[in-house]
Amino acid sequence: MIRTLRLPCRLPNALRGCRGVVGTTAQLPGPGHAHGHLPSSTSPITSKLHFFNSVVEGGKQIPTYRVIDGAGEPLEGAVVPEIDEPLARKIYENMVQLPILDDILYNLQRQGRIVFYMTAYGEEAAIIGSAAALAPDDEVLAQYRESGVLLWRGFGYDNIMNQCFGTYLDVCGNGKQMPVHYGSKELHYHTISSPLATQIPQAAGVGYALKRDLTRRGRNCAVVYFGEGAASEGDFHAGMLLASTIPSPTLFIARNNGFAISTPSSEQYYGDGIAARGPGYGIHTVRVDGNDVLAVYSAVREARRLCIEEGRAVLVETMTYRVGHHSTSDDSFAYRPRKEVEDRKRLDNPIVRFRLFMEARGWWSKDEEAALTKRVKQEVMAAYKKAEALPKPELKEMFTQVYGGEEPWNIKEQREELQRLVRKYGDAWEPWRSELKKHRGEGKELLE
């Protein structure tokens, strides 16, 4: 039989108070805290077991901020943001130009004149309303439906067309990027990248850089756009965590348009949308009617103020509906009924809603509508015809500005391989001859 010897638990005085030693002096609760707090939290102690599944009391859903209804009338108790007639007209004209531009470029892709395109049908208010609320030198990291932000800043139809056609006048990437991958250093619009959600943690880094820049601290913020589908990526959480803990002035704008390509939002998350995630990161959050341009303008303007004054991240979720197909590679009627789309276009059109608001104030008329539509169509068509007639960049430009610093070995090898192919097939094979003629210099500069 094994006997255990029980000794009195007495510790030498020298060991009392050491970390991890049982018997250290207990910390008494502070005033007003009957049971004290946990070491890493100020959460109050409770004796009741209670699970929760909402950031709003009573398990209710997060409310959606709206200013005007579908008829363009302010809601009871709503505060219409301070907006004069010139600003209202600029917002409306920028909203109207988006579907016209989308119609023409979408049809050009269907005709085989460009290889790819993505529209912003139904999301005009979310895009233009937010663009109007930002400073022109706030750093924007967009997803791919935010060309309206660039147009608001003066990008112009010629630059849109040159990028989509990949001409030698493309200021975004010199013909290297696929269509709708815009970028402008001058307009503080970071170049679009195809992989989903990569811009979100990058934006948190940009916000931190702005915070460290004494000339821009307290004056600018980083603004990142993304869809609710991108919010399912790990990069979303990495960006939110980075911006909230450092912290950095980063404004997160989620366009919840109901679909991540063919996946409806009901299958993307079980919780209360994207806004419910903000409080988990300690981030100021608001949900707004994305089809109400005045609500978007008001919410983003206030979000920007908080972002800059506090130097912390803010999340805005705009609730809208993607009327168009995901892209020219998608047929959305394969996974949603056509009637649903047509009903949304008819019942809750963001452009019509704001036009009714303006007409009620005498700021817009049918004659002005007709004149604007005609002018925008003419300007877009003129830009298209000009871009289509321009050659693509010189063939050697394929290898320039890919990497900074010294040119790596693999780029040199690829250039040498293309030189050999051009010498071999450039004059001997018709497919090569016709393709080279599309480029400025027809590839001859590569052989020099």
Side-chain angles (χ1 to χ4, degrees):
M1 179 181 294
I2 300 176
R3 297 179 180 272
T4 58
L5 181 63
R6 295 183 180 179
L7 297 175
C9 185
R10 295 177 180 176
L11 294 174
N13 291 335
L15 292 181
R16 292 192 182 276
C18 294
R19 180 179 296 178
V21 177
V22 178
T24 56
T25 304
Q27 298 293 319
L28 295 177
H33 302 289
H35 304 291
H37 290 300
L38 299 174
S40 60
S41 172
T42 57
S43 173
I45 302 298
T46 179
S47 59
K48 295 180 180 180
L49 178 63
H50 172 67
F51 291 84
F52 62 92
N53 191 21
S54 173
V55 296
V56 181
E57 290 184 5
K60 298 179 181 177
Q61 284 196 315
I62 298 169
T64 301
Y65 170 63
R66 175 182 289 175
V67 175
I68 57 175
D69 60 21
E73 294 293 329
L75 272 63
E76 183 179 354
V79 177
V80 178
E82 295 181 6
I83 180 172
D84 57 15
E85 183 178 349
L87 177 57
R89 292 175 70 92
K90 181 180 179 182
I91 290 174
Y92 182 72
E93 290 175 4
N94 273 265
M95 290 175 68
V96 168
Q97 72 179 343
L98 288 183
I100 296 174
L101 182 67
D102 283 346
D103 283 345
I104 292 173
L105 281 164
Y106 188 90
N107 288 330
L108 290 175
Q109 192 281 333
R110 285 296 184 249
Q111 296 167 15
R113 298 175 187 273
I114 60 175
V115 297
F116 180 78
Y117 192 68
M118 303 186 80
T119 66
Y121 295 131
E123 301 181 54
E124 296 87 358
I127 295 167
I128 301 301
S130 58
L134 303 175
D137 57 348
D138 285 336
E139 302 293 333
V140 172
L141 294 90
Q143 189 153 322
Y144 36 60
R145 299 192 198 279
E146 293 83 20
S147 60
V149 178
L150 268 176
L151 291 170
W152 177 268
R153 295 184 173 189
F155 194 60
Y157 301 136
D158 284 337
N159 285 328
I160 292 286
M161 289 297 174
N162 283 323
Q163 197 283 325
C164 288
F165 276 90
T167 77
Y168 79 98
L169 293 180
D170 170 25
V171 298
C172 302
N174 205 16
K176 293 183 178 69
Q177 286 271 33
M178 63 188 294
V180 306
H181 287 52
Y182 310 110
S184 173
K185 185 176 181 180
E186 178 187 3
L187 299 177
H188 302 271
Y189 191 97
H190 296 233
T191 302
I192 306 297
S193 57
S194 293
L196 195 63
T198 54
Q199 77 275 15
I200 302 177
Q202 292 167 2
V206 171
Y208 184 55
L210 291 173
K211 187 174 183 177
R212 290 176 57 86
D213 187 342
L214 295 179
T215 64
R216 303 187 69 181
R217 181 190 301 169
R219 190 170 66 84
N220 290 114
C221 65
V223 185
V224 58
Y225 290 88
F226 54 94
E228 84 287 347
S232 297
E233 295 285 336
D235 277 346
F236 166 79
H237 298 281
M240 292 279 282
L241 182 63
L242 178 62
S244 65
T245 54
I246 285 194
S248 71
T250 306
L251 177 52
F252 295 83
I253 301 180
R255 293 179 295 92
N256 192 334
N257 63 19
F259 294 91
I261 309 183
S262 60
T263 305
S265 58
S266 59
E267 296 179 17
Q268 294 174 54
Y269 50 77
Y270 190 69
D272 188 6
I274 310 305
R277 305 175 191 179
Y281 289 101
I283 290 177
H284 292 307
T285 303
V286 66
R287 174 177 287 162
V288 59
D289 181 354
N291 287 359
D292 177 357
V293 71
L294 293 180
V296 173
Y297 173 75
S298 179
V300 173
R301 185 177 61 175
E302 178 62 14
R304 181 183 182 274
R305 184 191 67 79
L306 286 170
C307 196
I308 291 177
E309 289 186 2
E310 298 187 7
R312 305 188 66 87
V314 180
L315 171 63
V316 178
E317 181 181 23
T318 62
M319 308 301 291
T320 181
Y321 185 83
R322 196 195 77 206
V323 171
H325 306 296
H326 173 73
S327 71
T328 49
S329 302
D330 174 48
D331 176 13
S332 66
F333 298 132
Y335 52 82
R336 61 178 180 178
R338 185 184 296 268
K339 185 178 183 302
E340 174 187 312
V341 178
E342 295 302 322
D343 286 346
R344 295 295 304 184
K345 288 167 63 175
R346 185 180 72 257
L347 298 174
D348 196 14
N349 186 308
I351 296 177
V352 172
R353 189 193 293 199
F354 192 48
R355 183 173 71 237
L356 293 173
F357 172 85
M358 293 182 62
E359 288 176 346
R361 282 152 182 76
W363 292 352
W364 198 252
S365 67
K366 292 182 179 180
D367 290 341
E368 289 175 303
E369 182 78 15
L372 172 64
T373 302
K374 181 180 180 181
R375 175 176 62 81
V376 172
K377 284 182 179 179
Q378 290 175 342
E379 292 176 356
V380 173
M381 288 300 294
Y384 141 61
K385 292 176 181 178
K386 191 189 304 181
E388 190 178 41
L390 292 174
K392 297 184 182 300
E394 292 182 344
L395 209 56
K396 68 178 182 181
E397 295 297 328
M398 183 187 304
F399 306 99
T400 61
Q401 298 179 359
V402 178
Y403 297 100
E406 184 179 353
E407 186 177 70
W409 62 269
N410 58 318
I411 294 294
K412 294 178 181 177
E413 281 192 357
Q414 291 167 20
R415 182 192 295 106
E416 292 169 358
E417 181 181 5
L418 183 58
Q419 287 173 341
R420 289 194 298 270
L421 293 171
V422 170
R423 288 192 180 97
K424 183 175 182 179
Y425 298 112
D427 294 324
W429 196 20
E430 175 55 29
W432 274 74
R433 287 198 302 269
S434 60
E435 196 64 31
L436 287 172
K437 287 179 181 178
K438 297 178 183 178
H439 290 266
R440 205 178 186 199
E442 299 183 9
K444 295 182 175 62
E445 81 290 340
L446 190 68
L447 305 178
E448 296 176 354

